[in-house]
Amino acid sequence: MSDNGQETAVVRMENIVKRFGTVTALDGVNFTVNQQEVVALVGDNGAGKSTLIKILTGVYPPTEGHIYFEGRLVQIRSPREARALGIETVYQDLALVNLMSITRNFFLGRELVARVGPLHWLRLREMNEQTRASLRDIGIEVRSPTERVEKLSGGERQSIAIGRALHFGAKLLILDEPTSALSVAETQKVLTYTLNAKARGLSVIFITHNIHHVFLVADRYTIIRHGTLVGNYDKGELTHDDIADLITGKREA
């Protein structure tokens, strides 16, 4: 079982408790992601994965516990504050606008604008160039950055979201079930983009139910069951069956 030192941690969550009335969703969970590391956060439905991530991204405040980001104690009170720290989340349903171009989605809310007096307009040529270059950095060649997102496949949509996080200086990338409902070929692309993001210096939290995908990308596995931490394990320490048994409770840590 892994016991990584604190000095390399991008994020460290200590003794996280979350109660909703009389229901305890998380009970003293510790969770760490180190620099340039992919950590798989796995557990069955209702295990507490989503609640833990919502606390990390400022959606919920913890009832108890502390969060350290790059060694500094922080209070993350909103998703905006999480993003300001360098935490970017790519949700399963994505936050892309189908009728907009790849570039407009890439810069959504962060558009480059030129101003002269009361007039202002988008610097579209520069935005297109930056979009293409940033996606190319993680191995993605788009047909045209002006293409509408509605024409993209599921894997291509994921790539836009991952590339966007890299471009805007994310330090920690959270992927929420990124391979759900994708074909085998599209899944492989997303896994490759994830490893490329790590190679570019990002730390990644990979939330998934798919144990096979965990083995392909994760350096460590954090397993949660019924709101409690089962354990943290290094790559190669567990088999597929071991992880499945720990998730379901057939095996104790």
Side-chain angles (χ1 to χ4, degrees), residues 56-59 75-84:
L56 177 58
T57 55
V59 177
Q75 289 186 338
I76 306 175
R77 290 162 291 209
S78 70
R80 183 183 294 271
E81 290 188 5
R83 176 174 281 184

Side-chain angles (χ1 to χ4, degrees), residues 65-76:
H66 299 94
I67 301 174
Y68 297 85
F69 195 81
E70 296 184 318
R72 180 170 60 92
L73 180 64
V74 295
Q75 289 186 338
I76 306 175

Side-chain angles (χ1 to χ4, degrees), residues 8-13 31-39 56 171-173 202-205 220 222:
T8 61
V10 172
V11 65
R12 189 170 80 255
M13 305 177 76
F31 179 61
T32 299
V33 182
N34 294 310
Q35 293 175 7
Q36 208 166 351
E37 178 182 52
V38 179
V39 177
L56 177 58
K171 299 174 182 177
L172 176 64
L173 179 63
L202 262 71
S203 301
V204 181
I205 299 173
R220 284 193 301 116
T222 293

